[in-house]
Amino acid sequence: MASRRLDITLDRSAAEPLYLQLSRAIERAIATGELADGDRLENELSLTDRLGVSRPTARQAIQELVNKGLLVRKRGVGTQVVRSRFSRDERLSSLFDDLVEAGKTPTTRLLDFRVGPLPAEIAQRVSLPADEPYLQLRRLRLADDLPLAVLANYLPARIELDPADLERYGLYPCLRRAGVNLKLAHQRVGARLASEDEADLLGAMPPLACLTADRLAYDDSGRLVEYGRHIYHAARYSIRSSLAV
């Protein structure tokens, strides 16, 4: 397989380091599809000769993308593009909307939609009355036809949602359409191995490492809107945080 050469222009007068400019140019090519899954990237020596950068600069740019899971180095093959991992900021937003914003095509399979008492294990975990009726949802979210997450949500039955809408849109857009104004959420992020059922839904063989997120969301009057228990394919999903002193 021939390596791919990208049309890259580096600005040597910019404050941004050359390795970062190069890394971001390659990352853009992956995000837009100019570099597809499995494509070989030209080697460091070719990049240095063609772009007039040092070998350490080219190596650092490529390593940045290896660390992000976008490139992989293979002995005897070279540096290849791997299917990109979706990275999501920590904010109160819909995964569906975030995928659209990232240029991906989200689809949803509705696995469960029913009203009933809250399971005791869930009620104890989040200190909610178990005898009140709750709408219980379970969905499989795909990005560009690739399974990404299994989403379980529990909502007070007073919130009426259309199953067809849940397959066309994300939960939060559906809540907004129902007149719910989301205001605040508390989220706990963790990691575990997927169950056999979860791994099967995510298109993988166990053991499968997954990220988890448990979220309690409230509306602008302080009422509970939903409790979500989500599990994400760790090789295809990451959570990005901004930290400041």
Side-chain angles (χ1 to χ4, degrees):
M1 181 189 299
S3 61
R4 294 289 307 278
R5 291 193 173 192
L6 301 174
D7 184 12
I8 297 174
T9 301
L10 302 177
D11 183 359
R12 285 171 167 77
S13 65
E16 187 176 54
L18 290 177
Y19 85 87
L20 198 52
Q21 293 184 46
L22 177 55
S23 176
R24 288 182 175 173
I26 297 171
E27 186 171 359
R28 281 194 299 271
I30 295 172
T32 60
E34 185 179 355
L35 280 176
D37 187 27
D39 280 351
R40 279 181 54 197
L41 185 70
E42 62 181 302
N43 61 38
E44 294 170 5
L45 185 58
S46 175
L47 285 170
T48 59
D49 290 344
R50 191 165 64 85
L51 301 177
V53 297
S54 67
R55 189 85 177 264
T57 293
R59 183 179 299 115
Q60 189 173 1
I62 291 173
Q63 189 60 46
E64 284 282 312
L65 300 177
V66 170
N67 293 343
K68 288 184 177 182
L70 299 176
L71 296 177
V72 62
R73 300 179 190 268
K74 294 184 178 179
R75 186 180 298 276
V77 176
T79 303
Q80 280 187 297
V81 177
V82 293
R83 187 179 291 273
S84 63
R85 173 189 293 180
F86 174 65
S87 183
R88 187 183 189 191
D89 291 325
E90 280 193 304
R91 57 190 174 116
L92 184 53
S93 62
S94 163
L95 175 58
F96 188 98
D97 290 344
D98 290 343
L99 288 168
V100 171
E101 187 177 321
K104 297 183 179 295
T105 301
T107 51
T108 304
R109 280 175 47 198
L110 188 59
L111 306 173
D112 192 16
F113 182 97
R114 56 195 168 92
V115 174
L118 204 62
E121 184 266 336
I122 299 296
Q124 292 171 4
R125 177 181 290 266
V126 294
S127 300
L128 294 173
D131 54 348
E132 293 184 9
Y134 285 83
L135 174 60
Q136 302 177 38
L137 311 174
R138 192 166 185 248
R139 296 163 294 149
L140 175 66
R141 175 63 44 74
L142 301 93
D144 294 339
D145 295 324
L146 194 68
L148 179 65
V150 179
L151 313 172
N153 300 86
Y154 304 86
L155 304 90
R158 59 180 167 79
I159 301 175
E160 297 183 0
L161 299 176
D162 184 341
D165 282 347
L166 287 165
E167 291 196 309
R168 287 195 294 264
Y169 313 105
L171 174 60
Y172 285 3
C174 288
L175 288 172
R176 289 194 293 267
R177 290 160 66 95
V180 175
N181 296 311
L182 290 160
K183 180 66 175 179
L184 175 69
H186 302 292
Q187 179 169 275
R188 174 175 293 179
V189 176
R192 64 173 173 84
L193 294 177
S195 67
E196 288 189 11
D197 171 62
E198 291 165 336
D200 183 59
L201 287 170
L202 292 170
M205 295 288 293
L208 174 66
C210 289
L211 292 175
T212 64
D214 286 11
R215 176 185 290 184
L216 280 166
Y218 302 87
D219 64 15
D220 53 2
S221 65
R223 294 188 300 176
L224 175 72
V225 172
E226 62 107 8
Y227 171 57
R229 300 190 74 183
H230 302 166
I231 179 169
Y232 304 90
H233 194 309
R236 300 171 186 162
Y237 181 91
S238 64
I239 297 173
R240 183 172 52 217
S241 301
S242 296
L243 306 176
V245 176

